[in-house]
Amino acid sequence: MIIPTMIAQAVAASGITGSFTLAIAGAGAALGIGMIGAKAVESVGRNPGAFGRVLTLAIIGMALAESIAIYALIRAFSNM
Amino acid sequence: MSLFTLAAAVPIEAEPILTKLHGFFGLLASMTNSILVSIILVVTLVTWAQRATRRMQLIPGPDQNFFECIVEGLYGFFEGIVGHHMIAKSFGLLASLFLYIVAANWFGLLPGVGSIGWHEHEEFIPLLRPTTADMNTTIGLAIVFMVFWLIWTLQEMGFVSFLKHIFGVKGGLKGFMAIALMPIFFFVGIIEVVSILIRPVSLSLRLFGNVFAGENLLTTMMSLGHTLHFPLWLAHLCSVLLPIPFYFLELLIGVLQAFVFALLCAVYLNLSTSHDEVEAENH
């Protein structure tokens, strides 16, 4: 638990405000969702017939990736 | 604080609105504004559905046609996920979860919600608060689903095979290997239990987070003109024009989150109830 506090102090010292965890979680979720979207588009390009089922799976994947960012978002809002 | 500088952010938990009532009506004292919206929603949805399906004719009227296409569409879709065996039992819950959450999310976007209210010791309390922007509702929905999930799973598989499904030796190992790997599969079972317990948490937090973030997005967009200290007329203009694209975004997110919630519920159900026959995906 030492490292996060050190990072938090360094961040506070340098005057950057806002939630550090939300920044990382948001970046991670954005990457995940981007990858899922890219692969979904690619697979529909290869097999347009499977559009409906690829869409369903892509939405499930994106929702699961996004919920990680939502956890950080709620944590950031609750102690704002 | 001028009329248009709304509160910086939507407060995270719903505020009780009938705090003045005591005695028998004191029970209602803890009724929050999001429960009020929830009651309104349920009443409108049920009465509209009843009215549409009272005199069902062969050639459907507009309301009946509308409901028929929704129910048929959802039935076909969930049947593809949950399977023919489970759909009769679970369709009621899945479809009503979806319809209630879509109605709740879109109701939150109507102009009156969240802006009509009164000041109570310098804190603005809205009369109507979107019900899914309040964590109690989403946790309640998730718990309702988990209870039904447990009931249906135990009905389908029976308690012993349910435990065997979680802690048992998978991969068809027999004899010595099965005994040797018993402890490892026990820990796999522990992880399985943890992932089952995480489900209601992730279901409720995902829905709540998305809708709550949307509320805050709209509120900040509306008061952006004022926070950036634009000239007053420009600030008012911004507070009208800026939120428009975000309203469409919220419409999409409202449907998407409802769809994801019901879809994940169907997938979780399918995971634990389609035990032996592996359906050939016929479409």
Side-chain angles (χ1 to χ4, degrees):
Chain A
M1 266 309 283
I2 315 268
I3 298 163
T5 40
M6 275 185 345
I7 295 175
Q9 276 146 16
V11 163
S14 62
I16 306 169
T17 57
S19 161
F20 197 65
T21 47
L22 183 53
I24 297 180
L31 273 175
I33 292 175
M35 276 187 253
I36 294 169
K39 288 299 174 191
V41 166
E42 204 179 283
S43 65
V44 167
R46 185 173 297 130
N47 171 10
F51 171 75
R53 295 183 43 241
V54 166
L55 178 68
T56 316
L57 293 176
I59 288 181
I60 295 182
M62 290 182 193
L64 293 179
E66 200 190 327
S67 54
I68 311 291
I70 296 297
Y71 299 155
L73 179 90
I74 290 175
R75 196 184 168 287
F77 267 130
S78 53
N79 58 24
M80 181 178 54
Chain B
M1 184 170 89
S2 82
L3 183 60
F4 287 98
T5 53
L6 296 166
V10 180
I12 198 160
E13 83 279 342
E15 302 83 5
I17 46 171
L18 302 173
T19 44
K20 307 286 184 298
L21 294 175
H22 299 293
F24 171 72
F25 289 107
L27 304 175
L28 300 178
S30 63
M31 187 172 105
T32 64
N33 38 27
S34 72
I35 293 177
L36 179 65
V37 168
S38 173
I39 290 169
I40 294 171
L41 274 178
V42 169
V43 166
T44 42
L45 280 177
V46 168
T47 43
W48 188 22
Q50 294 291 353
R51 208 166 51 80
T53 55
R54 190 176 303 122
R55 289 178 311 282
M56 304 254 273
Q57 299 105 1
L58 208 55
I59 304 116
D63 275 358
Q64 183 192 338
N65 196 8
F66 175 66
F67 270 95
E68 265 176 17
C69 93
I70 287 182
V71 170
E72 270 162 26
L74 287 177
Y75 193 91
F77 178 71
F78 285 129
E79 191 167 17
I81 295 173
V82 174
H84 307 293
H85 182 58
M86 274 303 292
I87 187 67
K89 252 192 274 199
S90 63
F91 178 68
L93 177 69
L94 294 175
S96 45
L97 272 177
F98 175 74
L99 291 175
Y100 176 75
I101 295 173
V102 169
N105 290 345
W106 283 359
F107 184 85
L109 300 179
L110 292 179
V113 181
S115 48
I116 300 172
W118 59 89
H119 281 278
E120 214 174 273
H121 36 75
E122 114 297 317
E123 189 216 339
F124 179 73
I125 295 187
L127 177 63
L128 299 170
R129 179 196 168 98
T131 181
T132 36
D134 166 28
M135 208 186 274
N136 305 316
T137 320
T138 51
I139 288 178
L141 291 173
I143 288 173
V144 162
F145 168 70
M146 287 315 283
V147 166
F148 276 102
W149 172 82
L150 199 61
I151 294 168
W152 287 330
T153 312
L154 293 184
Q155 270 174 5
E156 285 298 311
M157 295 172 76
F159 189 65
V160 173
S161 67
F162 178 59
L163 286 183
K164 205 181 294 166
H165 186 73
I166 291 181
F167 292 102
V169 182
K170 299 183 179 62
L173 296 174
K174 287 294 176 288
F176 173 70
M177 277 307 286
I179 293 136
L181 293 184
M182 196 73 79
I184 295 174
F185 277 108
F186 178 71
F187 286 114
V188 167
I190 303 277
I191 294 168
E192 179 81 14
V193 167
V194 168
S195 87
I196 288 174
L197 293 179
I198 293 286
R199 284 179 189 166
V201 174
S202 79
L203 277 174
S204 59
L205 280 184
R206 178 182 308 114
L207 179 58
F208 167 68
N210 276 293
V211 175
F212 183 66
E215 280 296 312
N216 275 319
L217 182 68
L218 288 175
T219 314
T220 41
M221 277 309 141
M222 261 179 242
S223 52
L224 198 61
H226 299 280
T227 44
L228 298 182
H229 304 301
F230 285 171
L232 205 54
W233 63 272
L234 185 59
H236 292 329
L237 195 64
C238 279
S239 79
V240 172
L241 294 179
L242 263 180
I244 288 175
F246 296 98
Y247 271 112
F248 289 106
L249 177 69
E250 274 311 300
L251 281 176
L252 170 69
I253 286 183
V255 177
L256 194 68
Q257 285 309 318
F259 177 69
V260 162
F261 193 99
L263 190 63
L264 280 175
C265 292
V267 166
Y268 291 149
L269 257 181
N270 187 32
L271 281 180
S272 64
T273 52
S274 69
H275 32 75
D276 39 33
E277 81 286 351
V278 180
E279 257 116 325
E281 288 300 316
N282 40 32
H283 49 75

